Amino acid sequence: MGDWIQCPREPERLLLAWQAADEKHNRRRFAVGEVLRTRTDAVFRYFRATEDVSMAESLGYSGYPAFRYSQSEHTQSVMAAFMRRLPPRGRPDFFIYLEKLRFCPTSPFSDFALLGASEARLPSDGFSLVDPLDNFLAPTEVVFEIAGYRHCDPDLTNADVGAKVSFQLEPTNVYDPGAIKIVKGTRKLGYVNKLQARQFRTILDGFCVSAWIARLNGTADHPRAFIFVQVR
């Protein structure tokens, strides 16, 4: 069992997701925009008049700070704006950041791939970038955070790192009939990110998928767990 990303995904599109603060009592991640890869940079577009956007606005969302909300499409310095959410490649300890993401140091990857793999999350706001898994090709490896982990079974320890997990459809889920739960034995650990679940179901149907617990971090109040997913 290896746990290095040897064949990183190079997505053509990323979703901008937004999550309200804890005090809003709604930790769903809403798709509020998209970043489209171009030959030289990227284009950022806000979503308009969707259920996700309307609900996010009701919880306090008012656009991404780097891009005027009144303007639907942005083409200037898009990659630079989002790359500021990541450590610069020139940092002496950048390799440590790559190790955390499980990127093999010898595998080439673009900044766009790095944004998708890292999700570019910061503790200071509710934004993240999510790879919707469009145009999925194998072989590849990805690392997913287990959505809802802290609400399901946040009792994993370092001894569980490397333990195999599996995926089960949950059509009886009252909140999302398309939900895919992540289980270790009989223990439900959480879910595949809702913004990835539909496409991930087609991946489960069409490829050989193996997964195991990759790392645990976060805090006692906000524990986080990640899985390494190998697709062949």
Side-chain angles (χ1 to χ4, degrees):
M1 178 181 69
D3 57 354
W4 289 101
I5 295 177
Q6 305 281 351
C7 304
R9 260 184 61 73
E10 287 286 348
E12 296 300 317
R13 182 174 78 111
L14 299 173
L15 298 175
L16 178 67
W18 181 82
Q19 192 175 42
D22 276 354
E23 57 266 23
K24 297 293 185 177
H25 305 293
N26 186 331
R27 294 298 287 165
R28 173 179 164 186
R29 285 209 273 181
F30 302 99
V32 295
E34 63 181 355
V35 186
L36 305 173
R37 189 173 187 165
T38 66
R39 179 172 294 183
T40 57
D41 197 272
V43 173
F44 172 65
R45 294 173 181 157
Y46 282 116
F47 291 154
R48 303 292 192 189
T50 68
E51 180 183 348
D52 269 18
V53 170
S54 296
M55 190 171 294
E57 288 176 338
S58 73
L59 294 168
Y61 163 72
S62 58
Y64 189 74
F67 302 111
R68 187 179 305 161
Y69 196 32
S70 59
Q71 181 179 331
S72 293
E73 182 172 294
H74 297 262
T75 59
Q76 299 298 314
S77 303
V78 172
M79 284 297 296
F82 287 116
M83 287 300 292
R84 284 195 287 269
R85 303 179 66 85
L86 304 183
R89 286 182 184 251
R91 275 179 51 160
D93 60 350
F94 186 68
F95 72 96
I96 297 176
Y97 180 70
L98 293 182
E99 287 180 353
K100 184 180 75 170
L101 298 176
R102 308 313 299 160
F103 269 88
C104 180
T106 59
S107 296
F109 56 90
S110 68
D111 285 347
F112 204 84
L114 189 60
L115 287 173
S118 66
E119 294 199 342
R121 297 181 73 169
L122 295 176
S124 57
D125 62 24
F127 290 101
S128 58
L129 290 170
V130 177
D131 178 0
L133 307 177
D134 298 333
N135 304 316
F136 198 91
L137 297 174
T140 192
E141 302 88 19
V142 292
V143 175
F144 289 159
E145 181 170 3
I146 301 176
Y149 168 67
R150 69 182 172 115
H151 299 295
C152 288
D153 190 5
D155 296 323
L156 295 173
T157 68
N158 286 331
D160 293 303
V161 173
K164 289 187 176 181
V165 300
S166 58
F167 304 94
Q168 296 178 5
L169 305 184
E170 198 176 57
T172 58
N173 187 304
V174 295
Y175 299 104
D176 179 15
I180 302 173
K181 62 182 177 181
I182 301 169
V183 299
K184 175 181 175 288
T186 59
R187 296 168 59 190
K188 181 173 76 172
L189 304 179
Y191 294 89
V192 173
N193 184 334
K194 183 176 181 179
L195 300 180
Q196 297 171 312
R198 175 181 291 183
Q199 185 61 24
F200 193 68
R201 182 169 181 167
T202 68
I203 294 168
L204 291 174
D205 290 339
F207 297 94
C208 179
V209 179
S210 303
W212 51 90
I213 297 168
R215 74 177 191 272
L216 307 171
N217 63 13
T219 65
D221 292 335
H222 295 83
R224 302 173 69 188
F226 297 79
I227 58 173
F228 188 97
V229 181
Q230 185 182 71
V231 184
R232 296 291 183 262

